Amino acid sequence: MELLAEAVTRTILLTGDSVERKREEVRTYFHRTFSLYESLFDCITDDDAYYPRPEPLRHPLIFYFGHTAVFFINKLVLGKYLDRRLDERLESMFAIGVDEMSWDDLNEANYDWPSVTDTRAYRRRVRERVDAFIGEMPLGLPITPDSPAWIVLMGIEHERIHLETSSVIMRMLPLDWLQPHPFWSSACPESGPAPENGLLPVAGDTLTLGKPATAATYGWDNEYGSKTVTVQPFRVSRYLVSNDEYLRFVQDGGYQSPQYWTEEGRRWLAFSRATMPRFWLERQGEYYQRNLLQEVPLPLNWPVEVNYLEAKAFCNWKAAQDGSHIRLPTEAEWTLLRNRLDADQPGWARAPGNINLEHFASSCPVDRFAVDGIHDVIGNVWQWTETPIDGFPGFEVHPLYDDFSTPTFDNRHNLFKGGSWISTGNEATRYSRYAFRRHFFQHAGFRYIESDYAEVPVEPVNTYETDELVAQYLEFHYGAEYFGVANYPVACVRTLLARLPGLNKGRALDLGCSVGRASFELALHFGAVDGIDFSARFIQHGFQLKESGQTRFAIPTEGELVEFKETSLHVLGYAEVAHKVEFVQGDACNLKARFGGYDLVFCGNLIDRLYDPSLFLGQVHERLNPGGYLVLTSPYTWLEDYTPKAKWLGGIKVNGENFTTLDGLKALLGGRFELVGQEDIPFVIRETRRKFQHSLAEMTLWKLK
Amino acid sequence: MELLAEAVTRTILLTGDSVERKREEVRTYFHRTFSLYESLFDCITDDDAYYPRPEPLRHPLIFYFGHTAVFFINKLVLGKYLDRRLDERLESMFAIGVDEMSWDDLNEANYDWPSVTDTRAYRRRVRERVDAFIGEMPLGLPITPDSPAWIVLMGIEHERIHLETSSVIMRMLPLDWLQPHPFWSSACPESGPAPENGLLPVAGDTLTLGKPATAATYGWDNEYGSKTVTVQPFRVSRYLVSNDEYLRFVQDGGYQSPQYWTEEGRRWLAFSRATMPRFWLERQGEYYQRNLLQEVPLPLNWPVEVNYLEAKAFCNWKAAQDGSHIRLPTEAEWTLLRNRLDADQPGWARAPGNINLEHFASSCPVDRFAVDGIHDVIGNVWQWTETPIDGFPGFEVHPLYDDFSTPTFDNRHNLFKGGSWISTGNEATRYSRYAFRRHFFQHAGFRYIESDYAEVPVEPVNTYETDELVAQYLEFHYGAEYFGVANYPVACVRTLLARLPGLNKGRALDLGCSVGRASFELALHFGAVDGIDFSARFIQHGFQLKESGQTRFAIPTEGELVEFKETSLHVLGYAEVAHKVEFVQGDACNLKARFGGYDLVFCGNLIDRLYDPSLFLGQVHERLNPGGYLVLTSPYTWLEDYTPKAKWLGGIKVNGENFTTLDGLKALLGGRFELVGQEDIPFVIRETRRKFQHSLAEMTLWKLK
């Protein structure tokens, strides 16, 4: 372990007093990372080993060898810090990789990979170029996400992620393509019988998740923001689940017992035909484990390495023994454990766990490192959690790596925590958050907990709405203002309230509520609000916002490019009133009888989207309380796609004369309503970063006679 | 003639000193018009006569009986001066009529017409309502087109038009449905042999057409504006063509000789199977003429009554006799004759022609009224001209009757001039301009002229572009500014000129010129400009504007409703430079070799509409002079409708990273060009009165290296 001692580095602080010292710190961190990464590939004896795909879900090693170098160049070009590429072809081939493929979505593309020699030469050029860049780049302290040094750190931390993922792939290479290595051969020499696992009580608590924006180390975008969670008391396993403990599940026919597996787990089993963990093998009744550079008899007291689906099946099997609520911890539950440990990288003297390459180049027994009797809170192998990864409230995408996190907020990527023996840099810090598809293998295992409750306290992730029209309306209701035009649903509600001082504020109906903004705005003033829309696609976002407090969407910037946005009740100021809103799917032209007794019926941009607006307007008075108001807004954009021409309220010739929609409204409503106000309200709907619909709605206010 | 002397009224002056006297003048003019119109229908003996359609191209008389009353109500409601209708059903049935039907576009709709008694009762109610309105309406002097009194005058003058058109229909009714009438029986008693026609010389002149805005009588919208025309000397027939003169054409087989007829005339002949004028009939070798209330042996010295197509065929027949250039006069040529006559209604002591019902209730001999030896310059029968009706420069639609004139600016409606014996009110004034489809019959005949030139000096009418997309772009280039955003093509040209002080101003290319505004704007500065567009539909408007000085379009306001707009080189300030522009249809991706030697290539909103933008950008340098500039503007709205995704310049992921169009432009152009400037220019495209596209184009300026 001492031969490559300089490889044992720690992520650097963003803060400091001396810019030039910081520049040298960055330079050193870059070179050591680059060298450490290359040293891993020095374990390979034969260039042929770079090209097969031992893991069909991943690129061959040649990709990963080039990829971490290319990443520096691609991000510096994207950030406009470099204006020339080093090698267009390599920078294209080595660009995309890590999480592209799912086991049910295999990429069979044929690649014409470059030689190892050429790739190594390219890496040298990148090293020189980045070194030169570090020497020239403008630098201020602290380093912030918009500074060029952040991009260098992004490249470094990215390479450290791939140090780990490449080591996983190497565990799948035939051993005769690998050779001993002064550093990487330093596997833990200890193994033996496993300790009996057991449960320790953990008190409940309320804690805040998320890395503070002021934290002094580099973080990925998904680490920031903050979320306060209350955790119920639970009992946690003393140890990570060992090979020995897991072997009982295997020998009990766990892989042949679909009842223990989730639906996704059963599909994975059928695809993979797995019968035991990925790095185990069985020969003549004996089990072995494949490590990075060796195969050893199954070390029973080492942690088992499995994917989430296997871990979950184990828990279900174990829970089935006695009917207890055994499961994986959530992110918050694990964080309660982590909070017992003050030490953090880079500040610790020596790692208080098998992590950061500070102890072994492999796993080690599960009873080696403990905090309050709980072992391996960090290090050894990653620990799967029940929590699908999601941004914390306040999450903001880093513009130069906008697909690092957002594509994983999809309910299919679960977080694992704690790091492994080879987790370095950011990976080994307290706030690190990494997630993989639940069937992926890393140096990852699990610990379990026992809860008093059957229900797992995780919330489904709000995925990004990418339907272009729905996302357009989400931006329209909850997004930015353009051309200085005020938010339209809000402006409508504020205007009608200002114009109708005598309005009773009991119950309001927001008919054609779309994604719901006006309903929430009305709830600031009314006792109860019903939001009704014809389209489930739209109204589900109002519903989601009310229920989960958050909604997300991706809007086009240019061509196929998008930007990711989100909003929350908290940011909007509706957290206290959202409970007053009920969202219901319904048809304005055929509204159920129970929708009545309103003091206000507000129809924002509705009437020119109904299939029979006269039918609706002829009945709407029945929904209102005496003295109630009907408020219509519309740009009167009649289209046959929505309303047959024979049903248009206006915008037609009647008896040869121009007959406007306002004429039509007066004719239809004049008998039962008095027109008490009328004004224009502008609105803007964004289509792309450079293209907008800019309209002028007419608001008419009608008092029931 | 004396019994209904009070029917002989004149249009009233808009000016005056006493509002209340003017109010009474309007009231009197209204009642006399209403009574005069009803007196015509008193000639009908049997209510059954109201329902057949003696002229299949027109409604039956019951429609016209109701229509002129309904018109008052409909226009007052449209103008928001009345808020209640008298009878919705009648006001709908009697609304639309006069010019709806063409002989090749027959309307077979089945109408459930009301009874004559009900219609008469309805007319009484309208008379009372309008009388009351006249008594109450706000009135100032002079009366202007936006005052309520103008609407009353519009109704009156409208009724006077139908007095004449109804009398034409009555000439088609069987005589036994008609009876003598104290006034309407006063046909001219004189007839006899026709005088020999001959030609009198008329000196050429430059004259200005159009009714001054300050004129003191009511006018229809198409009469206003002004147009200066130079007329070459010509020779004019002393007399209107008499029945006798026309009979020679008939007897010479004129109706069986297609060579004398225009293409349209031949189609009409085939449809109508006409063998003689519409109001002639032949019995046992003798010709007769049907007048309003009698049939008489053909009065040889009365003017023949024909449509334009027949008149034109006669001229061609006559011209064929000796190869002379015999034709109908143009509007300007006729106006030269009219200008010899100072008198005008309402100012004359007695009408200097058979007009305004001041002499006869029929035509009279063609040699009765003369000016300088030229007979019937006004009155007797209308005189067809060669001129398709068109608005004069400065034409503005009257908003309360926006389909009075504009639908006739279609190259299918020719003007006739001078009025007939029954032309009263505005019809009998100097500036009156009426036009009908060329196959229509009125109390209309013709005089001919002989010109020195074969070519007829009429300009084709610029019809209104109604294609929604083309009209949208015409408004975008030549229409109003919205949201305070400056005209885009103009802003682009001004911006690029400001940014490129060293630009040579020899030749410019406006590629993707659409309807051409930037080409004209460039011509203010450059020696020569080529405007090229892929679409003939668009570029034809640039061409038309250059050639005719004018272009017209109809843009949607709401639903199917449109507003009519026009622009001219004069108004735009391009009259002096338009000759420097050449518009050519062409494909930017496959441009002919002759387009080269430019100092500037300007591509406004072009690159994201090309099918292969890289192909274009890879060659465009060949078009430029050394030191020349390429200027691109675009909102980068990539759509697969225009550009296959594989050809998008940007707005795509390249190597997993966002690659913008600007990135793509730099990659493609960076080798041969230097990027010397870059800025955003907003633009607004109107879709309806309330809906707009509001975009931000990026302008990039590239200097050829």
Side-chain angles (χ1 to χ4, degrees), chain A residues 611-641:
Chain A
Y611 60 84
D612 192 346
S614 304
L615 179 65
F616 162 65
L617 292 172
Q619 303 172 341
V620 64
H621 61 279
E622 298 168 7
R623 312 293 172 169
L624 282 167
N625 292 331
Y629 289 86
L630 170 67
V631 176
L632 308 173
T633 66
S634 171
Y636 306 145
T637 311
W638 297 103
L639 292 171
E640 292 232 68
D641 295 347

CSV table of all heavy atoms in Angstrom, one decimal, chain A residues 611-641:
chain,number,residue,atom,x,y,z
A,611,TYR,N,-66.0,22.0,-27.2
A,611,TYR,CA,-66.6,21.5,-28.4
A,611,TYR,C,-68.0,22.1,-28.6
A,611,TYR,O,-68.5,22.1,-29.7
A,611,TYR,CB,-66.6,20.0,-28.5
A,611,TYR,CG,-67.4,19.3,-27.3
A,611,TYR,CD1,-68.8,19.2,-27.4
A,611,TYR,CD2,-66.7,18.8,-26.2
A,611,TYR,CE1,-69.5,18.6,-26.3
A,611,TYR,CE2,-67.4,18.2,-25.2
A,611,TYR,CZ,-68.8,18.1,-25.2
A,611,TYR,OH,-69.4,17.5,-24.2
A,612,ASP,N,-68.6,22.6,-27.5
A,612,ASP,CA,-69.9,23.3,-27.6
A,612,ASP,C,-70.0,24.4,-26.6
A,612,ASP,O,-70.7,24.2,-25.6
A,612,ASP,CB,-71.0,22.2,-27.4
A,612,ASP,CG,-72.3,22.8,-27.8
A,612,ASP,OD1,-72.5,24.0,-28.0
A,612,ASP,OD2,-73.3,22.0,-28.0
A,613,PRO,N,-69.4,25.5,-26.9
A,613,PRO,CA,-69.3,26.6,-25.9
A,613,PRO,C,-70.7,27.1,-25.6
A,613,PRO,O,-71.0,27.5,-24.4
A,613,PRO,CB,-68.4,27.7,-26.5
A,613,PRO,CG,-68.3,27.3,-28.0
A,613,PRO,CD,-68.5,25.8,-28.1
A,614,SER,N,-71.7,27.1,-26.5
A,614,SER,CA,-73.0,27.6,-26.2
A,614,SER,C,-73.7,26.8,-25.2
A,614,SER,O,-74.4,27.2,-24.3
A,614,SER,CB,-73.9,27.7,-27.4
A,614,SER,OG,-73.2,28.4,-28.4
A,615,LEU,N,-73.5,25.5,-25.3
A,615,LEU,CA,-74.1,24.5,-24.4
A,615,LEU,C,-73.6,24.8,-23.0
A,615,LEU,O,-74.4,24.9,-22.0
A,615,LEU,CB,-73.7,23.1,-24.8
A,615,LEU,CG,-74.2,22.0,-23.9
A,615,LEU,CD1,-75.7,21.9,-24.0
A,615,LEU,CD2,-73.6,20.6,-24.3
A,616,PHE,N,-72.3,25.1,-22.9
A,616,PHE,CA,-71.7,25.4,-21.6
A,616,PHE,C,-72.3,26.7,-21.0
A,616,PHE,O,-72.7,26.8,-19.9
A,616,PHE,CB,-70.2,25.4,-21.7
A,616,PHE,CG,-69.5,26.1,-20.5
A,616,PHE,CD1,-69.6,25.6,-19.3
A,616,PHE,CD2,-68.9,27.3,-20.8
A,616,PHE,CE1,-69.0,26.3,-18.2
A,616,PHE,CE2,-68.3,28.0,-19.7
A,616,PHE,CZ,-68.4,27.5,-18.4
A,617,LEU,N,-72.2,27.7,-21.8
A,617,LEU,CA,-72.6,29.1,-21.4
A,617,LEU,C,-74.1,29.1,-21.0
A,617,LEU,O,-74.6,29.9,-20.2
A,617,LEU,CB,-72.3,30.1,-22.4
A,617,LEU,CG,-70.8,30.4,-22.5
A,617,LEU,CD1,-70.5,31.3,-23.7
A,617,LEU,CD2,-70.1,30.9,-21.3
A,618,GLY,N,-74.9,28.3,-21.7
A,618,GLY,CA,-76.3,28.3,-21.4
A,618,GLY,C,-76.7,27.6,-20.1
A,618,GLY,O,-77.8,27.8,-19.6
A,619,GLN,N,-75.7,26.9,-19.5
A,619,GLN,CA,-76.0,26.2,-18.2
A,619,GLN,C,-75.2,26.7,-17.0
A,619,GLN,O,-75.5,26.4,-15.9
A,619,GLN,CB,-75.7,24.7,-18.4
A,619,GLN,CG,-76.5,24.1,-19.5
A,619,GLN,CD,-76.0,22.6,-19.8
A,619,GLN,OE1,-74.9,22.3,-19.4
A,619,GLN,NE2,-76.8,21.9,-20.4
A,620,VAL,N,-74.2,27.5,-17.3
A,620,VAL,CA,-73.2,27.8,-16.3
A,620,VAL,C,-73.9,28.6,-15.1
A,620,VAL,O,-73.4,28.4,-13.9
A,620,VAL,CB,-72.0,28.6,-16.8
A,620,VAL,CG1,-72.4,29.9,-17.4
A,620,VAL,CG2,-70.9,28.7,-15.8
A,621,HIS,N,-74.9,29.3,-15.3
A,621,HIS,CA,-75.6,30.1,-14.2
A,621,HIS,C,-76.1,29.1,-13.1
A,621,HIS,O,-76.1,29.5,-12.0
A,621,HIS,CB,-76.8,30.9,-14.8
A,621,HIS,CG,-77.8,30.0,-15.4
A,621,HIS,ND1,-77.7,29.6,-16.7
A,621,HIS,CD2,-79.0,29.6,-14.9
A,621,HIS,CE1,-78.8,28.8,-17.0
A,621,HIS,NE2,-79.6,28.8,-15.9
A,622,GLU,N,-76.4,27.9,-13.5
A,622,GLU,CA,-76.9,26.9,-12.5
A,622,GLU,C,-75.8,26.6,-11.4
A,622,GLU,O,-76.1,26.0,-10.4
A,622,GLU,CB,-77.3,25.6,-13.2
A,622,GLU,CG,-78.4,25.8,-14.2
A,622,GLU,CD,-78.7,24.6,-15.1
A,622,GLU,OE1,-78.0,23.6,-14.8
A,622,GLU,OE2,-79.5,24.7,-16.0
A,623,ARG,N,-74.6,26.9,-11.8
A,623,ARG,CA,-73.5,26.5,-10.8
A,623,ARG,C,-73.2,27.6,-9.8
A,623,ARG,O,-72.5,27.4,-8.9
A,623,ARG,CB,-72.2,26.3,-11.6
A,623,ARG,CG,-72.3,25.4,-12.8
A,623,ARG,CD,-72.6,24.0,-12.4
A,623,ARG,NE,-73.0,23.1,-13.6
A,623,ARG,CZ,-73.1,21.8,-13.5
A,623,ARG,NH1,-72.9,21.2,-12.3
A,623,ARG,NH2,-73.4,21.1,-14.6
A,624,LEU,N,-73.8,28.8,-10.1
A,624,LEU,CA,-73.4,29.9,-9.2
A,624,LEU,C,-74.4,30.2,-8.1
A,624,LEU,O,-75.6,29.9,-8.3
A,624,LEU,CB,-73.4,31.2,-10.1
A,624,LEU,CG,-72.1,31.3,-11.0
A,624,LEU,CD1,-72.3,32.4,-12.0
A,624,LEU,CD2,-70.9,31.6,-10.1
A,625,ASN,N,-73.9,30.7,-7.0
A,625,ASN,CA,-74.8,31.2,-5.9
A,625,ASN,C,-75.4,32.5,-6.4
A,625,ASN,O,-74.9,33.1,-7.3
A,625,ASN,CB,-74.0,31.4,-4.7
A,625,ASN,CG,-73.4,30.1,-4.1
A,625,ASN,OD1,-74.1,29.1,-4.2
A,625,ASN,ND2,-72.3,30.2,-3.4
A,626,PRO,N,-76.5,32.9,-5.8
A,626,PRO,CA,-77.1,34.2,-6.1
A,626,PRO,C,-76.0,35.3,-5.9
A,626,PRO,O,-75.3,35.2,-4.9
A,626,PRO,CB,-78.2,34.3,-5.0
A,626,PRO,CG,-78.6,32.9,-4.7
A,626,PRO,CD,-77.3,32.1,-4.8
A,627,GLY,N,-76.0,36.2,-6.8
A,627,GLY,CA,-75.0,37.2,-6.7
A,627,GLY,C,-73.6,36.8,-7.1
A,627,GLY,O,-72.6,37.6,-7.0
A,628,GLY,N,-73.5,35.6,-7.6
A,628,GLY,CA,-72.2,35.1,-8.0
A,628,GLY,C,-71.7,35.6,-9.4
A,628,GLY,O,-72.5,36.3,-10.1
A,629,TYR,N,-70.4,35.4,-9.7
A,629,TYR,CA,-69.8,35.9,-10.9
A,629,TYR,C,-69.2,34.9,-11.8
A,629,TYR,O,-68.7,33.8,-11.3
A,629,TYR,CB,-68.7,36.9,-10.5
A,629,TYR,CG,-69.2,38.2,-9.9
A,629,TYR,CD1,-69.4,38.3,-8.5
A,629,TYR,CD2,-69.4,39.3,-10.7
A,629,TYR,CE1,-69.8,39.4,-7.9
A,629,TYR,CE2,-69.8,40.5,-10.1
A,629,TYR,CZ,-70.0,40.6,-8.7
A,629,TYR,OH,-70.5,41.7,-8.2
A,630,LEU,N,-69.4,35.1,-13.0
A,630,LEU,CA,-68.7,34.3,-14.1
A,630,LEU,C,-67.6,35.2,-14.7
A,630,LEU,O,-67.9,36.3,-15.1
A,630,LEU,CB,-69.7,33.9,-15.1
A,630,LEU,CG,-69.2,33.2,-16.4
A,630,LEU,CD1,-68.6,31.9,-16.1
A,630,LEU,CD2,-70.3,33.1,-17.5
A,631,VAL,N,-66.4,34.7,-14.7
A,631,VAL,CA,-65.3,35.5,-15.4
A,631,VAL,C,-64.7,34.6,-16.5
A,631,VAL,O,-64.3,33.5,-16.2
A,631,VAL,CB,-64.2,35.9,-14.3
A,631,VAL,CG1,-63.1,36.6,-15.0
A,631,VAL,CG2,-64.9,36.8,-13.3
A,632,LEU,N,-64.7,35.2,-17.7
A,632,LEU,CA,-64.2,34.5,-18.8
A,632,LEU,C,-62.9,35.3,-19.3
A,632,LEU,O,-62.9,36.5,-19.4
A,632,LEU,CB,-65.2,34.5,-20.0
A,632,LEU,CG,-66.6,34.0,-19.7
A,632,LEU,CD1,-67.5,34.2,-20.9
A,632,LEU,CD2,-66.5,32.5,-19.3
A,633,THR,N,-61.9,34.5,-19.7
A,633,THR,CA,-60.8,35.2,-20.4
A,633,THR,C,-60.5,34.3,-21.6
A,633,THR,O,-60.6,33.1,-21.5
A,633,THR,CB,-59.5,35.3,-19.6
A,633,THR,OG1,-59.0,34.0,-19.3
A,633,THR,CG2,-59.7,36.0,-18.3
A,634,SER,N,-60.2,35.0,-22.7
A,634,SER,CA,-59.9,34.2,-23.9
A,634,SER,C,-59.3,35.1,-25.0
A,634,SER,O,-59.7,36.3,-25.1
A,634,SER,CB,-61.2,33.6,-24.5
A,634,SER,OG,-60.9,33.0,-25.7
A,635,PRO,N,-58.4,34.6,-25.8
A,635,PRO,CA,-57.9,35.4,-26.9
A,635,PRO,C,-58.8,35.1,-28.2
A,635,PRO,O,-58.5,35.6,-29.2
A,635,PRO,CB,-56.5,34.9,-27.2
A,635,PRO,CG,-56.5,33.5,-26.7
A,635,PRO,CD,-57.6,33.4,-25.6
A,636,TYR,N,-59.9,34.3,-28.0
A,636,TYR,CA,-60.8,34.1,-29.0
A,636,TYR,C,-60.1,33.4,-30.3
A,636,TYR,O,-60.3,33.9,-31.4
A,636,TYR,CB,-61.6,35.3,-29.4
A,636,TYR,CG,-62.3,36.0,-28.3
A,636,TYR,CD1,-62.3,37.4,-28.2
A,636,TYR,CD2,-62.8,35.3,-27.2
A,636,TYR,CE1,-63.0,38.1,-27.2
A,636,TYR,CE2,-63.5,36.0,-26.2
A,636,TYR,CZ,-63.5,37.3,-26.1
A,636,TYR,OH,-64.1,38.0,-25.1
A,637,THR,N,-59.3,32.5,-30.0
A,637,THR,CA,-58.6,31.8,-31.1
A,637,THR,C,-59.4,30.6,-31.5
A,637,THR,O,-59.1,29.5,-31.1
A,637,THR,CB,-57.2,31.4,-30.6
A,637,THR,OG1,-56.5,32.5,-30.0
A,637,THR,CG2,-56.3,30.9,-31.8
A,638,TRP,N,-60.4,30.8,-32.3
A,638,TRP,CA,-61.2,29.7,-32.8
A,638,TRP,C,-60.5,28.8,-33.8
A,638,TRP,O,-60.0,29.3,-34.7
A,638,TRP,CB,-62.5,30.2,-33.3
A,638,TRP,CG,-63.3,31.0,-32.3
A,638,TRP,CD1,-63.4,32.3,-32.2
A,638,TRP,CD2,-64.1,30.4,-31.3
A,638,TRP,NE1,-64.2,32.7,-31.2
A,638,TRP,CE2,-64.6,31.5,-30.5
A,638,TRP,CE3,-64.4,29.1,-30.8
A,638,TRP,CZ2,-65.4,31.4,-29.4
A,638,TRP,CZ3,-65.2,29.0,-29.7
A,638,TRP,CH2,-65.7,30.1,-29.0
A,639,LEU,N,-60.6,27.5,-33.5
A,639,LEU,CA,-59.9,26.5,-34.4
A,639,LEU,C,-60.9,25.3,-34.6
A,639,LEU,O,-61.4,24.8,-33.6
A,639,LEU,CB,-58.6,26.1,-33.8
A,639,LEU,CG,-57.5,27.1,-33.8
A,639,LEU,CD1,-56.3,26.6,-33.0
A,639,LEU,CD2,-57.1,27.5,-35.2
A,640,GLU,N,-61.0,24.9,-35.8
A,640,GLU,CA,-61.9,23.8,-36.0
A,640,GLU,C,-61.4,22.5,-35.3
A,640,GLU,O,-62.2,21.6,-35.1
A,640,GLU,CB,-62.0,23.5,-37.5
A,640,GLU,CG,-62.8,24.7,-38.2
A,640,GLU,CD,-64.0,24.1,-39.1
A,640,GLU,OE1,-65.0,23.6,-38.5
A,640,GLU,OE2,-63.9,24.3,-40.3
A,641,ASP,N,-60.1,22.4,-35.0
A,641,ASP,CA,-59.6,21.3,-34.3
A,641,ASP,C,-60.3,21.1,-33.0
A,641,ASP,O,-60.4,20.0,-32.5
A,641,ASP,CB,-58.1,21.5,-34.0
A,641,ASP,CG,-57.2,21.5,-35.2
A,641,ASP,OD1,-57.7,21.2,-36.3
A,641,ASP,OD2,-56.1,21.9,-35.1
